[in-house]
Amino acid sequence: MPESKVRKEAAEKKVDKRKRERGEKRTKSRARMAMSTRDWVPWVFVPLGLIGVLWLIVFYIAGNRVPVMQDLSNWNYLIGLGLIAASFAFATLWK
């Protein structure tokens, strides 16, 4: 038995339905991406910057008396400033 002709409206509805299903999948994936916020960023960059500043303060005040800092000598500047720079790098991730 031959197939009957498909109406144009039915074919368009079918195509629209497929597009909506694809759009729903996209919105679900976007919602997942939106749910993965970057709320953790301030909890990382603030302490990291403070640790860098504290490292430099302790080095200036008691660097000669702290055994690890005494061994590192001028590398302490790089460590303190590196921690501060890493803090700024993490701050750029915050939305």
Side-chain angles (χ1 to χ4, degrees), residues 50-59 69 72 76 79-80 83:
L50 290 175
I51 291 170
V53 170
L54 287 174
W55 187 280
L56 290 174
I57 290 172
V58 170
F59 175 64
M69 288 188 169
L72 290 172
N76 287 303
I79 292 169
L83 288 169

Side-chain angles (χ1 to χ4, degrees), residues 10-86:
E12 290 173 2
K13 285 181 182 179
K14 201 176 209 180
V15 171
D16 288 340
K17 184 179 177 183
R18 286 182 192 156
K19 285 182 182 178
R20 273 183 290 173
E21 288 174 355
R22 289 181 193 152
E24 289 174 3
K25 289 179 184 176
R26 288 181 188 152
T27 55
K28 286 180 183 177
S29 65
R30 286 182 188 158
R32 273 190 234 134
M33 288 181 358
M35 286 173 27
S36 64
T37 60
R38 295 183 182 182
D39 292 338
W40 57 270
V41 173
W43 293 100
V44 173
F45 85 79
V46 171
L48 202 59
L50 290 175
I51 291 170
V53 170
L54 287 174
W55 187 280
L56 290 174
I57 290 172
V58 170
F59 175 64
Y60 280 128
I61 293 173
N64 297 339
R65 297 182 206 131
V66 180
V68 175
M69 288 188 169
Q70 190 176 13
D71 295 339
L72 290 172
S73 67
N74 288 334
W75 285 98
N76 287 303
Y77 295 115
L78 184 66
I79 292 169
L81 291 175
L83 288 169
I84 294 170

